[in-house]
Amino acid sequence: MFRTLCRVVLSIVMLAVINFLPVKGVSRFLLYLVPYLIAGYDVILEAWEGIREREIFDENFLMSIATIGALIIAFHDDGDYIEASAVMIFYKIGELFEDYAVGKSRKSVTALMKLRPDYANIESNHELKRVPPENVKTGSIIIVKPGEKIPLDGVIISGKSALDMRALTGESLPKNFNEGDNVLSGSINLEGVIKIKTTREYKDSTAAKILELVENSSSNKAKTENFISRFAKIYTPFVCACAVMIAVIPALLTGQNFGKWIYRALTFLVISCPCALVISIPLTFFAGIGGAGRSGILVKGSNFIESLAKLSCAVFDKTGTLTRGVFEVSAIHPEIIDSQELLHLAAHVERFSNHPVADSIKRAYKNESDSCIIEDSQEIPGYGVKAKVNGDIICAGNSKFMQSINANWHKCDKTGTIIHTAINNNYAGHIVISDVIKPESKSAIESLKNCGVEKIIMLTGDNNESAKEVADLLGIKEFYAELLPADKVRKLEEISRTGITAFIGDGINDAPVLARADVGIAMGGLGSDAAIEAADVVLMDDDPQKVSRAVKISRKVMRIVKQNIYFSVGIKLLCLVLGAMGLADMWLAVFADVGVMVLAVLNAVRALFV
């Protein structure tokens, strides 16, 4: 880019100087040829390469033919050489704007490429040894110092720190992580030294997956992009044929000077260059993908930008998408003892169980290592857990368990998994375990409604009562519960008949639905690899609010695309008519080609700032 700028500046200075020199004839022609070649020699070379490879009709060919023809006419008539040189210089100025815009767009996308870690620290003989992340196996212990990138996904086993996850999620504020927390590769350690036990190999890590998505994002082109490419292949030969007819037919019919009509034909060629369309449309999509990436939204191709802009229905999975997917104690209803004692007894009974419900009770009761004596612990399939705690027989489980021991239990009006507890067969109360709704979910649904998404639906494999509670709290009017993965696919196919549909999910069981949707949107932070692989869009921080953000970005990109198409085609058609009628000279041709291209490119850059 810098070298092109130097060539442009040098050409302009030389033109200004030559214009004041009292030179005529061949010497004058040769002098003006120097700045012309300095500015545009690469355009002529690329046009020649195109001719050799039988890909003749591109903007380099049109610009070369038009400007060389203008130089020949000026030489023949001893006329003004400035026009031809100026057209080439302005064309190169337009390319400078294009390079700047592409550079800005590429920076926003390649900023994500900085996620790639350079090394991992492995402790060997009491010393830290740097090794390539690709060589670290799952289950290895790595050490990350302040200022270093986390090279692989894992769990903190020692230390705590604040992590900068901006490149992953778009969030500018660091997040605090403690021992036992999961961390993602690509995050930057800001404070303390932390030891991490890796849970994935590098090729399966979050950073590697993101890099793969970014590198492949340009392979899926939007219909608009493909149309512009096909349009240019038909349009360019057509305008070349028109230029030939303008140069030849009027002169033959009227007997006028060929030079006049050739000049009009050359002006027509310069005007006709489809640079604005061919450059600005792909650039707009590319900039939109880059802008979305900076917000923590990875889009796998411009075709999904186009689909999101037309979105009419959003279908959400429940668990892990609208809810955290982590079961927690949401209520404690004691009968003959207080709440803390009920939780205490249940936690001790569940001590040796690996069931998610048991884990949630143990997390709620922090003081598990007290002086209580637990004996004869046994898990009864389909019922619950039984153990002796300080000599008392404690039973914790479902209503069938309570019935089997003749405990006088009663139903709970709250939705969730109910863990009934009895002490020596006397009903002691129950604990409610439920999935927690994400704090962002309600505003995410409202934002989508404000975006004009007509239908919002929830699909879940959970029971009808839990689904209804979540739907009511979030303001979702339509939901379908107790669905298997195959049922979700069938239901989505029914829903998608009404218009462009997006499915938002996170689990392995969501992969078939994500693949079937017009736009599959996966939660990338904690979502399964299968879901991320099947999805078309990945939200890096599991925030459902990013769905409406993705829709807004896509609609802005498509508005800019349409503006550039209407503006470029409109100006081109007007100037082409004026050129054919002889009412436009090379200076108007420069505006119609380079000026329109610069304006369209600058408009395309707006897609970065979303």
Side-chain angles (χ1 to χ4, degrees):
M1 184 173 172
F2 177 73
R3 292 175 67 180
T4 304
L5 178 62
C6 291
R7 284 163 50 200
V8 166
V9 171
L10 179 60
S11 300
I12 292 171
V13 171
M14 289 187 72
L15 267 184
V17 171
I18 294 168
N19 196 45
F20 290 101
L21 295 177
V23 184
K24 293 185 178 182
V26 176
S27 300
R28 186 163 176 263
F29 170 75
L30 292 174
L31 280 174
Y32 274 105
L33 192 61
V34 174
Y36 170 83
L37 291 174
I38 289 173
Y41 74 89
D42 53 342
V43 176
I44 297 168
L45 288 176
E46 285 179 33
W48 174 245
E49 282 298 315
I51 293 169
R52 286 178 58 189
E53 294 174 13
R54 297 182 182 179
E55 294 179 3
I56 300 173
F57 298 108
D58 63 5
E59 61 268 22
N60 293 306
F61 174 79
L62 295 180
M63 193 57 60
S64 299
I65 291 295
T67 52
I68 290 170
L71 283 172
I72 292 170
I73 290 172
F75 177 74
H76 181 267
D77 297 338
D78 199 22
D80 192 356
Y81 295 102
I82 291 180
E83 277 189 350
S85 299
V87 167
M88 185 61 79
I89 289 169
F90 278 113
Y91 179 72
K92 296 304 293 183
I93 290 172
E95 282 192 348
L96 282 173
F97 276 97
E98 179 199 345
D99 291 343
Y100 170 77
V102 170
K104 288 284 286 183
S105 302
R106 197 171 293 280
K107 276 181 185 176
S108 67
V109 173
T110 54
L112 293 169
M113 305 304 273
K114 294 178 183 177
L115 288 169
R116 181 176 279 117
D118 301 316
Y119 58 87
N121 295 319
I122 300 287
E123 197 167 17
S124 177
N125 298 325
H126 305 292
E127 290 184 357
L128 288 185
K129 183 181 177 183
R130 291 186 175 184
V131 299
E134 294 87 350
N135 295 349
V136 179
K137 294 182 178 178
T138 302
S140 301
I141 307 300
I142 60 174
I143 295 170
V144 183
K145 295 183 287 186
E148 292 183 331
K149 290 190 194 81
I150 294 177
L152 298 107
D153 297 354
V155 179
I156 297 177
I157 59 170
S158 174
K160 60 181 181 178
S161 184
L163 301 184
D164 180 354
M165 302 179 68
R166 191 177 317 176
L168 291 170
T169 66
E171 286 292 328
S172 58
L173 292 176
K175 289 186 177 180
N176 294 317
F177 286 80
N178 300 303
E179 195 172 307
D181 290 339
N182 290 304
V183 291
L184 301 177
S185 55
S187 307
I188 299 173
N189 182 15
L190 298 178
E191 294 176 1
V193 176
I194 51 177
K195 282 188 177 181
I196 297 170
K197 185 176 183 179
T198 62
T199 54
R200 290 177 178 172
E201 292 184 6
Y202 175 72
K203 63 183 176 64
D204 298 319
S205 68
T206 301
K209 290 287 184 185
I210 293 172
L211 292 169
E212 185 182 345
L213 294 180
V214 172
E215 286 162 357
N216 295 332
S217 65
S218 60
S219 60
N220 297 312
K221 290 189 175 183
K223 290 180 182 177
T224 308
E225 240 182 311
N226 286 324
F227 166 74
I228 294 301
S229 300
R230 292 195 303 270
F231 169 78
K233 287 180 180 178
I234 298 169
Y235 167 83
T236 309
F238 173 75
V239 295
C240 285
C242 289
V244 170
M245 287 190 286
I246 290 171
V248 176
I249 294 174
L252 290 176
L253 293 176
T254 61
Q256 293 179 349
N257 182 10
F258 272 95
K260 169 186 171 183
W261 291 102
I262 290 173
Y263 180 83
R264 285 190 188 182
L266 296 172
T267 303
F268 184 87
L269 277 180
V270 174
I271 294 170
S272 69
C273 277
C275 308
L277 281 178
V278 172
I279 292 168
S280 69
I281 304 308
L283 179 62
T284 306
F285 282 112
F286 189 64
I289 290 172
R294 293 196 304 180
S295 298
I297 303 166
L298 296 183
V299 184
K300 293 187 181 180
S302 54
N303 53 333
F304 305 119
I305 292 269
E306 197 168 47
S307 295
L308 273 173
K310 300 173 184 175
L311 191 68
S312 61
C313 179
V315 181
F316 284 87
D317 170 54
K318 181 179 79 71
T319 307
T321 304
L322 294 172
T323 66
R324 287 179 177 168
V326 178
F327 289 93
E328 294 182 4
V329 172
S330 57
I332 303 172
H333 297 154
E335 294 284 323
I336 58 175
I337 53 177
D338 63 29
S339 299
Q340 195 61 26
E341 182 64 15
L342 180 61
L343 183 61
H344 161 221
L345 291 173
H348 280 316
V349 173
E350 301 278 9
R351 175 179 289 185
F352 304 108
S353 174
N354 293 319
H355 194 279
V357 168
D359 291 338
S360 65
I361 292 174
K362 287 184 281 187
R363 281 197 305 271
Y365 183 71
K366 304 294 184 185
N367 191 24
E368 189 186 337
S369 59
D370 55 20
S371 58
C372 291
I373 300 169
I374 295 94
E375 302 172 289
D376 302 330
S377 177
Q378 56 179 308
E379 194 159 344
I380 305 169
Y383 285 84
V385 182
K386 179 181 179 181
K388 190 181 285 186
V389 180
N390 293 339
D392 292 320
I393 296 174
I394 310 298
C395 297
N398 57 26
S399 58
K400 288 190 295 181
F401 198 2
M402 295 299 103
Q403 286 172 347
S404 70
I405 61 173
N406 296 317
N408 188 22
W409 69 281
H410 59 83
K411 288 185 177 180
C412 179
D413 57 359
K414 282 191 170 290
T415 304
T417 301
I418 312 299
I419 305 300
H420 299 281
T421 305
I423 305 172
N424 299 323
N425 296 351
N426 294 313
Y427 191 61
H430 54 261
I431 297 169
V432 183
I433 311 293
S434 57
D435 198 358
V436 180
I437 294 174
K438 290 180 181 178
E440 311 91 358
S441 293
K442 190 170 180 62
S443 57
I445 300 301
E446 289 173 355
S447 296
L448 273 173
K449 289 176 180 177
N450 293 335
C451 281
V453 177
E454 298 164 9
K455 293 175 69 177
I456 298 174
I457 300 169
M458 186 177 76
L459 304 182
T460 179
D462 209 343
N463 62 68
N464 195 70
E465 291 77 16
S466 297
K468 186 177 188 309
E469 183 181 43
V470 172
D472 290 345
L473 286 169
L474 297 180
I476 298 174
K477 294 180 180 178
E478 190 176 347
F479 69 91
Y480 301 91
E482 300 177 16
L483 300 174
L484 296 172
D487 298 328
K488 286 185 179 180
V489 172
R490 280 195 293 272
K491 184 57 68 177
L492 185 79
E493 286 174 346
E494 289 175 20
I495 295 166
S496 61
R497 289 172 192 153
T498 60
I500 300 293
T501 303
F503 179 81
I504 304 97
D506 74 310
I508 291 173
N509 62 334
D510 293 327
V513 207
L514 287 164
R516 173 61 187 82
D518 297 311
V519 184
I521 303 176
M523 299 291 170
L526 298 175
S528 74
D529 290 346
I532 293 169
E533 192 72 31
D536 309 310
V537 178
V538 181
L539 310 181
M540 288 316 303
D541 58 357
D542 292 350
D543 183 355
Q545 291 184 110
K546 292 286 178 71
V547 178
S548 60
R549 177 85 171 142
V551 171
K552 289 174 184 174
I553 289 170
S554 300
R555 288 180 178 172
K556 180 174 181 179
V557 169
M558 292 311 298
R559 280 199 304 272
I560 293 171
V561 166
K562 288 175 182 176
Q563 287 167 6
N564 281 346
I565 290 174
Y566 296 147
F567 173 70
S568 302
V569 172
I571 296 294
K572 286 282 182 188
L573 288 176
L574 176 62
C575 292
L576 282 172
V577 171
L578 294 175
M581 295 171 62
L583 300 175
D585 58 12
M586 278 286 179
W587 294 106
L588 183 62
V590 168
F591 168 74
D593 178 48
V594 179
V596 170
M597 180 180 73
V598 169
L599 292 174
V601 164
L602 291 176
N603 193 36
V605 173
R606 291 196 303 119
L608 272 173
F609 309 104
V610 288

